[in-house]
Amino acid sequence: MHKVANVLNALPKSAQPAARKALAEIRDAEDKDHATRAIHAFSEAFAVKYPKVVARVVDDAEELLTFFDFPAEHWVHLKTTNPIESTFATVRLRTKVTKGPGSRAAGLAMAFKLIESAQTRWRAVNAPQLVALVRAGAKFEKGVMIEGSNPPDQEVAA
């Protein structure tokens, strides 16, 4: 989401609606192949007038599309920074209201308690059983686990 904002800020207002739509097509692509084609289409549409802006997307394409290497059920979580942003917004809001925490220890304690309280409202991860497979090194292609990529300790359990 930050990349989209940075790219749009580098464009004139008149080009932003079309760029926003093209960037949404990249983000919401069906799989990595479609996203790569959407990046190519973005490049063709904007490279002549805005080569530096296109370079921001094309040069970072591999990093931007990394979430496609994880289970499809997790894509919704990986495409957003909302859990981070909303958590720190809670802490920032409370810190401003109290005019600062007073001391470093008090600030850490207040931030810890606010984050601990905020976690009760967090959205649960889709398909939590896949988290262990990802951590164990299972490979995914188009959001589906590749046969034969089961980590050794998972094969025994299956």
Side-chain angles (χ1 to χ4, degrees), residues 2-158:
H2 289 153
K3 182 61 123 178
V4 170
N6 291 338
V7 168
L8 292 175
N9 285 338
L11 290 168
K13 296 272 187 219
S14 61
Q16 287 183 7
R20 184 183 314 276
K21 184 177 179 185
L23 292 168
E25 287 180 23
I26 296 168
R27 180 193 67 227
D28 298 334
E30 182 179 323
D31 57 31
K32 199 170 195 172
D33 297 333
H34 286 89
T36 303
R37 285 195 290 265
I39 287 174
H40 183 69
F42 176 82
S43 176
E44 286 181 351
F46 294 94
V48 173
K49 285 187 170 182
Y50 314 107
K52 289 182 181 178
V53 173
V54 170
R56 289 181 181 189
V57 175
V58 173
D59 292 348
D60 295 338
E62 190 61 36
E63 291 83 5
L64 293 172
L65 303 181
T66 300
F67 71 90
F68 285 113
D69 296 335
F70 291 91
E73 294 87 348
H74 295 177
W75 292 353
V76 69
H77 305 293
L78 298 172
K79 288 194 274 187
T80 182
T81 59
N82 193 40
I84 297 165
E85 300 290 339
S86 64
T87 300
F88 290 123
T90 302
V91 174
R92 189 171 37 253
L93 173 70
R94 191 70 64 214
T95 314
K96 284 184 180 179
V97 169
T98 60
K99 306 273 195 256
S103 70
R104 184 176 190 280
L108 288 173
M110 182 173 66
F112 174 78
K113 283 304 198 181
L114 288 168
I115 291 171
E116 188 178 51
S117 172
Q119 80 180 6
T120 61
R121 296 182 302 277
W122 289 346
R123 182 176 188 266
V125 173
N126 294 347
Q129 71 280 6
L130 295 175
V131 173
L133 292 173
V134 170
R135 292 187 71 200
K139 302 293 179 200
F140 292 81
E141 186 174 309
K142 295 185 178 186
V144 179
M145 189 165 69
I146 300 170
E147 290 299 320
S149 74
N150 285 5
D153 58 327
Q154 295 296 327
E155 288 178 7
V156 174

